[in-house]
Amino acid sequence: MKYGKYRHNMIKCKNVNKNIRGEIMKELKLYSLKEYVSLLKEEKLVVSRELYGQDDTKAERITYNSKEVTKDTLFICKGAAFKAAYLEEAVKNGAVCYISEKKYELEKEVPFILVTDIRKAMSLLANFYYNEPWKELTVLGVGGTKGKSTSVYYLKSMIDEYLEAQNKKESAVISTIDTYDGKQRFESHMTTPEAIELQQHIRDAEESKIEYLEMEVSSQALKYYRVEGMRFNIGIFLNISEDHISPAEHVDFEDYISSKMKMFEKTDTAIINLDADCIDRVMKEATASKEIITFSRKNESADFYAYNIRKEEGCIKFCVRCKQFDKEFVLTMLGLFNVENALAAIAAAVKLGIPEEIIYSGLKKAKSKGRMESFESKDGKIVAIVDYAHNKLSFEKVFRSMKEEYPKYAIKTIFGCPGDKAFLRRKDLGTVAGKYSNEVYLAADDPGSEKAEDISKEIAVYVDAQNCPYEIIEDRGEAIKTAISRINEKTILLVLGKGRDSRQKYGREYIPCPSDADYVIKYIKEYDEQ
């Protein structure tokens, strides 16, 4: 009722792709240095420039990595750790011009464009260089503190089933878990890549004649302009809670939420969770989009309302009431909280005009690697859950859901916190895990430049404050093995934070390692064979 003014009639898209592509993909149009200057001047970013007569030279490539520079490359001097030596190497390798916030003294005259904000400039330049490829796709962005990856893969499952029925290629995806753009498929390194990589992936998808892209949109991507200059056909907002607060990320919650809200001004249709914290502000900010659609598990006036939510026959079942239907849906992923993510995806699928029966079947089949993956021992005593949960909101939802779904089971938890960032998590996660767990094992989780043991000791203070026993075992495999070996009653083993990640960050290096899921499978098998 309160948000009744935001209700909209749903308009099915007869052809969501506005641009019909022919069989021959247009070649990448290259632009001259003076055209890049004009672009940046239009955005009032240019401080000064000198092209030394190279005005009409066309940039054959754009990069901020000096090792990738070839002839006639537009080189971007980016990063707090940037060194003049990188620019010198780029010039040696063929950089025709550099973009920077400061002028460098070089051995020869090299065209340059000085700008007020290198990150914003880089995003606009990347978008321009790759010829605004997002215009050729239907782009769905998902934002929020918790649930982005799961929602993305719910969407992908439904959209891919829809495309398969038409004998079309699967959709592209850019998420925390992995990336697929029609030409590459790999484990992701960050939630939303830097602008140059992002626009290249979208261009690859366009050239591969892919029609849809689902992507996670992080607060860092919005704060640092990685998605500047592009738009989302649909932008989903799931929730908000305090996270990523550190000198290297967001200085405070206001900085964090302000960054999240920037997605709406880049969105055509905003799909909003009415159950989210700070909803009054979210709804106000969402008016920057062209259309607002709401969903809720609590507010029956929402455009999409979920009710009769329960666990049944090893699945999550729930009903959805909207203008188009009143229907039951099934999730095969554990976690009652995932209904929220599914509801957002259903709303988006309806907006896209995907048939009801495909929404149902696609959602039922949906899986997300490392998201609430369950593994059970043969005797039923152990139910191990592997999940990427890594912040206060995600921890609370996982624990509460497990308490409700498995009321007669003890809970053992294995987790850690990353180094060099999000320092509040150590208190938050330690407190939540200590409150709900019967026992906690603290292990490494990308400690970076910090010592894993020091991080665990800091977390342990808050676990202990909840009178929960704990043990510090740095190696995640050993922690999982130890926890399983000590189980003698019905137990939920929560292995949180790393999911299917197959690498650990120590210092600046990413070291290959088995994933949490690999370890769980291995040690449950050993348990079964005893």
Side-chain angles (χ1 to χ4, degrees):
M1 296 292 290
K2 183 177 179 181
Y3 299 106
K5 66 179 181 178
Y6 294 107
R7 296 177 67 85
H8 294 268
N9 291 327
M10 307 291 283
I11 302 173
K12 288 191 176 182
C13 305
K14 295 180 180 179
N15 185 358
V16 185
N17 271 334
K18 304 178 187 70
N19 302 290
I20 300 173
R21 287 166 282 165
E23 289 301 314
I24 301 176
M25 175 59 59
K26 61 185 179 184
E27 290 186 5
L28 189 67
K29 179 182 177 182
L30 299 178
Y31 296 98
S32 65
L33 297 185
K34 68 181 179 184
E35 288 176 297
Y36 283 105
V37 170
S38 296
L39 169 71
L40 296 174
K41 285 181 70 175
E42 284 180 20
E43 298 296 327
K44 297 180 172 56
L45 289 171
V46 176
V47 175
S48 65
R49 84 279 187 187
E50 177 56 70
L51 301 184
Y52 296 115
Q54 298 291 318
D55 302 51
D56 294 322
T57 300
K58 292 185 177 180
E60 298 281 344
R61 188 170 191 174
I62 181 171
T63 186
Y64 55 84
N65 185 342
S66 57
K67 298 189 183 305
E68 294 179 353
V69 173
T70 55
K71 184 177 181 295
D72 289 343
T73 292
L74 187 62
F75 183 68
I76 298 172
C77 305
K78 174 196 82 77
F82 185 83
K83 300 176 182 178
Y86 300 152
L87 176 56
E88 291 167 1
E89 181 182 22
V91 171
K92 181 180 178 181
N93 291 340
V96 69
C97 178
Y98 70 90
I99 316 290
S100 176
E101 290 181 357
K102 59 174 284 187
K103 188 175 183 300
Y104 289 89
E105 295 300 323
L106 300 168
E107 292 182 0
K108 65 176 183 177
E109 293 181 338
V110 178
F112 62 85
I113 307 170
L114 303 187
V115 296
T116 56
D117 190 320
I118 193 65
R119 286 188 170 274
K120 188 172 184 179
M122 181 170 71
S123 188
L124 293 168
L125 291 167
N127 186 38
F128 191 55
Y129 173 81
Y130 285 106
N131 298 182
E132 300 182 309
W134 49 271
K135 288 185 175 180
E136 303 295 328
L137 283 78
T138 296
V139 182
L140 298 91
V142 182
T145 301
K146 158 69 179 171
K148 294 189 293 297
S149 298
T150 302
S151 298
V152 159
Y153 281 93
Y154 285 164
L155 277 168
K156 182 169 173 58
S157 183
M158 292 185 286
I159 290 172
D160 285 352
E161 183 135 330
Y162 178 55
L163 292 169
E164 185 180 0
Q166 303 172 70
N167 294 315
K168 293 182 177 180
K169 293 185 177 181
E170 70 171 287
S171 58
V173 66
I174 298 173
S175 81
T176 306
I177 300 172
D178 59 11
T179 297
Y180 171 69
D181 64 9
K183 296 184 179 181
Q184 304 178 74
R185 194 188 300 271
F186 58 88
E187 185 178 304
S188 298
H189 295 239
M190 62 174 67
T191 301
T192 312
E194 292 285 5
I196 291 176
E197 286 81 7
L198 174 61
Q199 295 301 330
Q200 181 179 355
H201 288 313
I202 300 175
R203 174 71 190 188
D204 285 348
E206 177 194 0
E207 291 181 347
S208 300
K209 297 184 174 61
I210 287 176
E211 295 183 14
Y212 295 84
L213 164 66
E214 308 92 12
M215 64 177 287
E216 293 182 50
V217 185
S218 68
S219 58
Q220 295 282 290
L222 291 159
K223 178 177 180 176
Y224 293 117
Y225 305 106
R226 293 176 197 162
V227 293
E228 194 69 14
M230 64 179 289
R231 290 193 66 79
F232 303 99
N233 298 85
I234 292 176
I236 295 172
F237 178 81
L238 295 169
N239 45 55
I240 186 81
S241 71
E242 195 168 86
D243 194 28
H244 296 288
I245 310 300
S246 76
E249 299 167 289
H250 299 281
V251 294
D252 52 30
F253 181 71
E254 177 56 36
D255 184 42
Y256 180 55
I257 190 171
S258 295
S259 297
K260 289 283 190 189
M261 297 299 97
K262 289 180 180 180
M263 186 168 73
F264 295 127
E265 65 191 27
K266 307 176 189 305
T267 295
D268 292 337
T269 297
I271 297 179
I272 309 294
N273 181 11
L274 291 183
D275 304 336
D277 289 346
C278 307
I279 188 58
D280 291 326
R281 176 170 178 179
V282 172
M283 293 302 291
K284 181 179 179 181
E285 299 275 8
T287 57
S289 60
K290 296 179 181 179
E291 177 187 25
I292 297 174
I293 295 169
T294 60
F295 67 94
S296 174
R297 295 171 55 181
K298 302 174 183 177
N299 190 333
E300 293 189 39
S301 69
D303 295 306
F304 289 80
Y305 172 63
Y307 65 98
N308 193 20
I309 303 166
R310 74 271 185 204
K311 183 182 177 186
E312 203 173 90
E313 300 172 346
C315 299
I316 306 298
K317 296 185 179 181
F318 63 102
C319 296
V320 175
R321 183 164 61 238
C322 61
K323 182 179 179 180
Q324 291 73 19
F325 51 74
D326 191 334
K327 180 179 177 65
E328 183 176 87
F329 290 87
V330 177
L331 289 175
T332 53
M333 281 177 65
L334 291 177
L336 294 169
F337 58 87
N338 276 321
V339 169
E340 189 175 274
N341 303 319
L343 194 54
I346 290 168
V350 170
K351 174 62 183 177
L352 293 174
I354 296 176
E356 180 183 327
E357 63 274 12
I358 289 182
I359 295 175
Y360 177 89
S361 59
L363 190 61
K364 188 174 182 179
K365 294 176 184 176
K367 296 285 185 183
S368 177
K369 292 182 293 184
R371 291 292 181 191
M372 295 306 290
E373 282 196 85
S374 63
F375 307 89
E376 190 169 342
S377 61
K378 289 180 180 178
D379 62 9
K381 189 178 287 185
I382 302 172
V383 177
I385 308 292
V386 174
D387 190 72
Y388 284 99
H390 62 278
N391 56 43
K392 183 181 180 181
L393 181 59
S394 59
F395 259 49
E396 287 177 338
K397 290 191 174 187
V398 168
F399 280 107
R400 288 173 184 170
S401 187
M402 291 302 100
K403 283 285 189 182
E404 187 173 350
E405 293 180 51
Y406 297 92
K408 296 181 180 180
Y409 281 65
I411 296 179
K412 291 191 177 187
T413 308
I414 299 167
F415 76 99
C417 286
D420 309 315
K421 64 179 182 179
F423 302 121
L424 283 174
R425 287 183 192 168
R426 300 173 192 187
K427 176 183 177 180
D428 292 340
L429 303 195
T431 301
V432 174
K435 177 182 177 181
Y436 288 99
S437 303
N438 298 91
E439 189 175 12
V440 165
Y441 294 85
L442 297 170
D445 183 344
D446 295 336
S449 67
E450 296 186 66
K451 289 184 178 180
E453 184 180 7
D454 290 344
I455 296 172
S456 292
K457 285 180 178 178
E458 190 175 338
I459 302 167
V461 172
Y462 303 104
V463 176
D464 189 53
Q466 298 297 316
N467 298 312
C468 176
Y470 69 87
E471 184 171 346
I472 296 174
I473 303 176
E474 180 173 344
D475 184 87
R476 294 182 75 88
E478 281 300 311
I480 293 168
K481 180 180 181 180
T482 302
I484 290 175
S485 71
R486 294 177 181 174
I487 290 174
N488 51 28
E489 62 179 323
K490 285 188 174 182
T491 300
I492 295 294
L493 180 64
L494 292 176
V495 188
L496 306 177
K498 296 289 289 177
R500 285 277 181 173
D501 282 357
S502 58
R503 55 200 176 93
Q504 277 270 34
K505 186 179 182 183
Y506 279 85
R508 294 186 178 181
E509 299 295 320
Y510 285 93
I511 300 171
C513 63
S515 71
D516 286 350
D518 294 330
Y519 283 130
V520 166
I521 292 168
K522 176 181 178 179
Y523 295 123
I524 284 184
K525 182 180 179 182
E526 287 185 6
Y527 170 90
D528 287 336
E529 292 173 349
Q530 288 178 354

